[in-house]
Amino acid sequence: MAMYQPLQISANETGLVQDRENFLLPNDAYPILENAFVWRERIKRKQGYKLLGRLKRNLEDQPLGLTVALQTTYTFANIFTTLTITGEPNAQINPGSLVITISAPDSATFTDNGDGTFTVTGVGVALGSSINYSTGAVTIVLSASVGGATITANISYFPSLPVMGLRQRELNNTNNEQTIAFDTKYAYRFIAITGWEEFIPGTTWTGNDSDFFWSTNYWQTPAPAFLKLFWVTNDSGINGDPIRYTDGITWTDFGASSPTGTGKIDVAGNFLNQCLALLPFRGRLVSFNTLEGPSLATSINYQNRIRWAAIGNPLTIDGAPTPTTVGAWRDDVRGRGGFLDIPTSEAITAVGYVRDNLVIYCERSTWQLRYTGRSIAPFQIEKVNTELGAESTFSAVQFDTSLVGVGDKGIVECDSYKSQRIDIKIPDLVFNFNNDANGPKRVHGIRDIPQRLAYWIYPYRPVKCIYPNRRLVYNYENDSWAIFTDSLTTLGQFQTQSNLRWIDFEPIPDPEGTWAKQNYPWVNKPALFPAIIGGNQQGFVEYLGSQIMDSPTTNDISLTI
């Protein structure tokens, strides 16, 4: 028998390899590499989560009813039901946020202490008054009641709905993007002191937990404001939501439901009402996989269609400002809008820029959209690959010279001239993606430029689940792979608006209570640093691998029971 000989493994490069038997693997390859990855020639563990915040709404002066003469106890079995908040079965009160006010003649105020009890004034009684933050059950007690007084509430609560988008909205300040978060019903923005709050209250969405939000930034409002427009679509179908855009002040419907008639595509009165994706390209706003018709409810889905507006303003309408003006999307007027159907029965699933072209992934093929320079037919479509496509809209990750997407046959890279698989080391992994419960739509990708990594979250088939429970990690610097165990629904970026300071963080408890004995190095990320974040099925948004501290040893809270 040969003697034991130690083997030194240095300068790790290969990472996860699943295309050969274990005994054939290189010395720095691993048949299983979970919650660790190859990074700059060493094995580095998965970094922990740091909580950015939970998506929440703030409601003021909400009516709860009237007091009744001689009745002293008022019980709301579920305050959300009383407030007619529906479709949010897991909603939770934000502890310390509830204030119930009773007007004259039964004057009283109940202020939430954050521990299930109230501080009371007036004819309110603390004993017996209580809150259950999880169920929404609230009881208030009065010492006496004349009756006829209004009961109102100020409340902050977590809808606890799945995060369906973490999108970047361009602001007028250079290199400063605002992250807009979406769940299935509301949009949110982040405020440094109070955390997430509803973005432009009053507008709601009706998608389900697989209708993710696509956004793009294009055009601006007239002088003197020059506010940039943020366009959003969620591919929720004929019973869902129209395309909408906002200047940061109001949401405006686009298409047949718009107040001004934007998006009209022909003299017959058909409109562009919804689409899978929108991108500005060659001075025009271009839509992909469209729903068109006289209304959203009667629209037809042209899954292989590319439709574009006239050069410049995509919001011009017929007859404004003069009777000779024609709408930007009209395809029956030369020089205005137009459309092109890809010669395939497959649906357009993902799009992105590569050099000066647009790469378009269909279900099982890859195409590119080229600019012709002609006003009548400004674009032409060309096939790049017949059998490699992408199934997941948000799996498309933009690289310097290519677009990478996840398809039914593998992870595909297209440089606009050729399309090929890049997952040769893990050739069978995509076949373990769960296709049930709209599994392909749930695959999301993003590029972590500072670490030179790309991530894809996906639902792992051997485990019965709806939401993604794994994160595929690709180190494109050395072509290595790894897998993390995660529970996320979408990925995005977030820019802090101020520099971080020691005083902003409480020290880890130690006998002396000093910073000197902390077990992590201080890595100060500057303001506007593009951190990678992820949202999950209960409305939590987390830094992935905290951008505050290097390699945190534990995860912040990310789910509630």
Side-chain angles (χ1 to χ4, degrees):
M1 175 181 282
M3 296 180 61
Y4 166 76
Q5 293 181 348
L7 176 65
Q8 179 182 358
I9 301 176
S10 59
N12 279 274
E13 289 285 345
T14 306
L16 179 66
V17 177
Q18 298 177 336
D19 67 338
R20 63 190 70 179
E21 295 294 335
N22 293 354
F23 69 90
L24 295 174
L25 294 178
N27 292 334
D28 64 341
Y30 304 86
I32 298 175
L33 187 58
E34 192 168 285
N35 293 329
F37 62 104
V38 175
W39 190 75
R40 297 182 182 175
E41 300 188 345
R42 67 181 190 267
I43 298 295
K44 190 175 181 180
R45 65 178 176 179
K46 171 191 172 185
Q47 297 173 311
Y49 292 166
K50 182 69 177 179
L51 180 64
L52 177 59
R54 293 182 67 180
L55 304 184
K56 72 175 187 294
R57 302 182 70 211
N58 301 316
L59 306 178
E60 296 184 353
D61 299 325
Q62 301 297 302
L64 296 179
L66 300 173
T67 60
V68 178
L70 303 180
Q71 181 179 335
T72 57
T73 300
Y74 297 83
T75 299
F76 307 96
N78 187 324
I79 196 170
F80 302 113
T81 302
T82 305
L83 296 175
T84 64
I85 296 173
T86 60
E88 303 169 29
N90 299 314
Q92 295 181 335
I93 300 172
N94 183 16
S97 71
L98 180 62
V99 178
I100 296 178
T101 302
I102 300 178
S103 68
D106 296 335
S107 300
T109 301
F110 296 78
T111 303
D112 177 11
N113 294 321
D115 59 1
T117 66
F118 286 106
T119 296
V120 299
T121 61
V123 298
V125 178
L127 184 63
S129 300
S130 65
I131 315 169
N132 186 314
Y133 300 110
S134 295
T135 66
V138 175
T139 298
I140 57 174
V141 180
L142 305 178
S143 59
S145 175
V146 176
T150 59
I151 309 174
T152 58
N154 291 351
I155 185 173
S156 172
Y157 81 98
F158 307 113
S160 298
L161 298 170
V163 182
M164 302 303 295
L166 295 169
R167 311 297 297 178
Q168 295 290 101
R169 173 176 169 252
E170 290 277 357
L171 301 178
N172 284 21
N173 297 332
T174 305
N175 297 326
N176 188 4
E177 287 78 46
Q178 181 185 40
T179 298
I180 302 298
F182 296 89
D183 59 25
T184 54
K185 289 183 66 174
Y186 309 106
Y188 306 83
R189 63 176 180 173
F190 189 85
I191 304 299
I193 297 176
T194 59
W196 294 102
E197 66 174 28
E198 193 172 358
F199 178 60
I200 313 179
T203 298
T204 58
W205 310 78
T206 57
N208 60 39
D209 67 359
S210 63
D211 294 331
F212 293 92
F213 285 78
W214 178 284
S215 68
T216 195
N217 296 276
Y218 183 68
W219 212 243
Q220 60 188 10
T221 60
F226 290 119
L227 298 174
K228 296 182 179 181
L229 297 183
F230 178 65
W231 298 73
V232 172
T233 180
N234 65 348
D235 191 34
S236 51
I238 59 174
N239 296 317
D241 306 298
I243 298 169
R244 289 179 175 137
Y245 63 90
T246 181
D247 55 5
I249 301 171
T250 57
W251 285 107
T252 303
D253 288 354
F254 180 85
S257 58
S258 70
T260 57
T262 53
K264 187 177 181 180
I265 60 176
D266 57 32
V267 71
N270 291 306
F271 291 82
L272 170 64
N273 295 307
Q274 196 186 97
C275 61
L276 176 73
L278 288 162
L279 280 179
F281 182 56
R282 288 289 187 166
R284 303 171 186 264
L285 189 59
V286 184
S287 62
F288 305 86
N289 192 335
T290 63
L291 269 74
E292 303 171 8
S295 68
L296 178 58
T298 58
S299 290
I300 298 174
N301 186 194
Y302 298 93
Q303 294 184 315
N304 61 338
R305 177 160 294 181
I306 306 165
R307 178 173 290 279
W308 56 84
I311 293 176
N313 188 352
L315 298 175
T316 59
I317 60 175
D318 289 356
T322 66
T324 58
T325 300
V326 177
W329 294 85
R330 287 280 297 272
D331 61 25
D332 55 352
V333 177
R334 180 175 296 184
R336 303 302 289 172
F339 69 92
L340 180 65
D341 290 336
I342 299 178
T344 177
S345 59
E346 301 169 34
I348 295 173
T349 53
V351 295
Y353 300 104
V354 175
R355 299 186 182 91
D356 203 26
N357 301 320
L358 278 180
V359 167
I360 301 173
Y361 284 119
C362 291
E363 297 167 83
R364 296 173 301 279
S365 59
T366 307
W367 306 74
Q368 68 168 328
L369 190 68
R370 287 186 177 274
Y371 180 64
T372 65
R374 301 189 295 267
S375 61
I376 297 177
F379 304 115
Q380 68 181 28
I381 193 77
E382 298 175 359
K383 181 178 283 189
V384 177
N385 192 289
T386 303
E387 63 176 24
L388 295 180
E391 288 189 316
S392 311
T393 301
F394 294 91
S395 71
V397 175
Q398 195 83 55
F399 285 84
D400 300 344
T401 57
S402 65
L403 184 71
V404 177
V406 177
D408 63 331
K409 300 179 181 68
I411 300 173
V412 180
E413 178 183 50
C414 180
D415 63 0
S416 80
Y417 301 110
K418 67 179 184 300
S419 185
Q420 61 186 7
R421 292 186 64 177
I422 63 172
D423 57 346
I424 304 304
K425 293 180 179 178
I426 50 171
D428 302 323
L429 183 69
V430 296
F431 305 127
N432 287 322
F433 287 14
N434 184 14
N435 288 325
D436 296 330
N438 290 314
K441 293 182 69 173
R442 300 182 191 278
V443 179
H444 276 236
I446 198 169
R447 186 179 174 194
D448 187 347
I449 293 177
Q451 295 201 83
R452 300 185 66 79
L453 302 173
Y455 307 128
W456 288 273
I457 55 173
Y458 64 94
Y460 180 51
R461 185 176 61 184
V463 178
K464 187 176 181 179
C465 65
I466 295 176
Y467 304 107
N469 56 356
R470 294 290 189 275
R471 180 171 20 142
L472 181 62
V473 181
Y474 177 48
N475 185 330
Y476 55 86
E477 191 172 47
N478 58 23
D479 190 36
S480 65
W481 302 86
I483 295 174
F484 292 170
T485 53
D486 280 329
S487 182
L488 300 167
T489 56
T490 188
L491 302 172
Q493 287 189 334
F494 178 78
Q495 291 178 289
T496 58
Q497 299 298 304
S498 60
N499 292 313
L500 305 175
R501 305 168 298 169
W502 281 110
I503 157 181
D504 295 327
F505 311 100
E506 297 182 6
I508 296 174
D510 68 273
E512 297 181 9
T514 65
W515 281 107
K517 292 189 176 183
Q518 304 318 305
N519 62 358
Y520 54 83
W522 174 257
V523 180
N524 185 8
K525 301 298 191 295
L528 306 184
F529 182 84
I532 303 299
I533 57 176
N536 69 16
Q537 61 268 37
Q538 291 185 354
F540 287 81
V541 180
E542 311 270 348
Y543 288 106
L544 303 187
S546 169
Q547 305 297 317
I548 296 172
M549 300 171 292
D550 187 37
S551 300
T553 56
T554 59
N555 287 333
D556 273 359
I557 184 173
S558 60
L559 291 171
T560 61
I561 303 299

